[in-house]
Amino acid sequence: MPVERTLVLLKPDAVARGLVGEIIARFERVGLKIVAMKMVRATPGQMERFYPSSEEWFRSAGNKLLKAYQELGIDPKSRLGTDDPVEAGRRIKDNLIRYMTSGPIVVMVLKGNRAVEVVRKLVGPTAPHAAPPGTIRGDYSVDSPDLAAEEGRVVFNLVHASDSPAEAEREIKFWFSEEELVHY
Ligand code: ADP
């Protein structure tokens, strides 16, 4: 069955900027159904467990950060104390935890045909400056990884969305019990 569930987090910048309603409206507009939703003040421990800690994730995120530093002419050793991609990836995760716990977030489960893929399409790519118009990240932000690197933070991109059906199921279970998911 192509009917899927996916997890969406409206990050602290979305809540602080008063964009919760507008972002949710975009998911409702395409016909996705909200089957669970709550506002949370996440703890660092929760975010540490929510985001991946695999070497593969650290390496991939770290390589992107090192590339941004290279483009800016920033020496990673003097800024980060390391030029190792895995170590740089760990710094990204630390900054991500700091961002995700800087204010309240909204956690929700959306259900519908190919929900995982459709929500990723509506959200757009990670870097808002490069996200196409019509996507949430492209329409509501101009942030970019190089600016974020310069300011020693992760890119503020408003929304998190599960990237595969298997990951969606793990993430849904992380935030909600089965009883909290409403059938209608
Ligand atoms: P996405 O949220 O698009 O699925 P990832 O799962 O790769 O992206 O990363 C999680 C979050 O960490 C991103 O949404 C972004 O806020 C931040 N992030 C990841 N990599 C970088 C990077 N190289 N520079 C700045 N921020 C990053």
Side-chain angles (χ1 to χ4, degrees), residues 11 51-52 57 60-68 88-89 92-93 95-97 99-100 120 123-128 137 143-149 153-163 171:
K11 297 182 176 184
Y51 279 108
W57 190 88
S60 154
N63 272 326
K64 281 188 252 172
L65 181 63
L66 294 175
K67 188 163 165 262
I92 291 204
K93 183 158 175 185
N95 287 338
L96 185 55
I97 293 169
Y99 166 35
M100 295 302 292
R120 294 283 291 191
V123 168
T126 307
R137 287 168 171 170
D143 201 16
S144 60
D146 53 353
L147 179 62
R153 56 171 177 81
V154 290
V155 70
F156 293 165
N157 54 12
L158 304 157
V159 184
H160 164 87
S162 310
D163 68 1
E171 294 182 355

Side-chain angles (χ1 to χ4, degrees), residues 15 26 34 50 69 74 90 102 114 120-121 145 179:
V15 176
R26 288 172 174 238
I34 302 167
F50 177 69
Y69 275 3
I74 296 174
R90 288 186 203 280
S102 66
R114 297 176 185 269
R120 294 283 291 191
K121 177 190 70 176
E179 301 80 68

Side-chain angles (χ1 to χ4, degrees), residues 94-156:
D94 290 345
N95 287 338
L96 185 55
I97 293 169
R98 197 149 52 84
Y99 166 35
M100 295 302 292
T101 57
S102 66
I105 59 174
V106 176
V107 191
M108 71 183 87
V109 179
L110 298 172
K111 187 174 173 182
N113 183 42
R114 297 176 185 269
V116 172
E117 182 187 340
V118 168
V119 168
R120 294 283 291 191
K121 177 190 70 176
L122 295 177
V123 168
T126 307
H129 79 290
T135 64
I136 295 166
R137 287 168 171 170
D139 282 353
Y140 294 106
S141 175
V142 293
D143 201 16
S144 60
D146 53 353
L147 179 62
E150 204 161 44
E151 295 181 354
R153 56 171 177 81
V154 290
V155 70
F156 293 165

